Amino acid sequence: MFLAPKTKVVIVILKEVLKVAREERGLGYEELAKAVCLKKWHIREIEEAESFSTFYTMNIKIQAAKKIGNYLGLSEDQFLSSSESVG
């Protein structure tokens, strides 16, 4: 019996899109954080870091990015990219 390899969806936050949208609206880290009920270091991590050191999981980081993107008036396909990988 042949089992097909499982595919995994990988979601990537397009950090630069969120950063540019925040800056275009004249918002600092603290202002945006207050507006979306996050901490300013969460905003900084989403825009700059590859890891998720201040978030418990990558899924939580993605949910925070969705909150930010929504507040900035962006659609998810503007700041999130997904791809499938075998594994």
Side-chain angles (χ1 to χ4, degrees), residues 9-64:
V9 176
V10 177
I11 298 175
V12 176
I13 299 168
L14 304 176
K15 314 178 285 198
E16 191 62 30
V17 173
L18 292 173
K19 183 177 184 175
V20 167
R22 175 184 59 78
E23 290 173 344
E24 284 178 348
R25 286 154 183 81
L27 296 169
Y29 291 128
E30 202 162 306
E31 292 170 292
L32 179 57
K34 190 173 189 177
V36 296
C37 298
L38 293 170
K39 301 290 184 187
K40 64 182 176 184
W41 57 81
H42 289 133
I43 307 297
R44 180 175 286 131
E45 181 179 316
I46 287 170
E47 290 182 0
E48 298 175 8
E50 296 297 327
S51 65
F52 50 91
S53 62
T54 65
F55 293 95
Y56 290 111
T57 67
M58 189 61 179
N59 285 335
I60 294 171
K61 184 175 180 177
I62 290 167
Q63 291 305 312

Side-chain angles (χ1 to χ4, degrees), residues 2-11 82-87:
F2 175 74
L3 296 175
K6 290 187 177 185
T7 58
K8 182 170 114 178
V9 176
V10 177
I11 298 175
S82 63
S83 62
E84 290 186 6
S85 64
V86 177

Side-chain angles (χ1 to χ4, degrees), residues 64-77:
K66 286 179 180 182
K67 227 177 179 183
I68 294 165
N70 184 49
Y71 181 81
L72 296 173
L74 302 173
S75 64
E76 287 184 15
D77 62 336

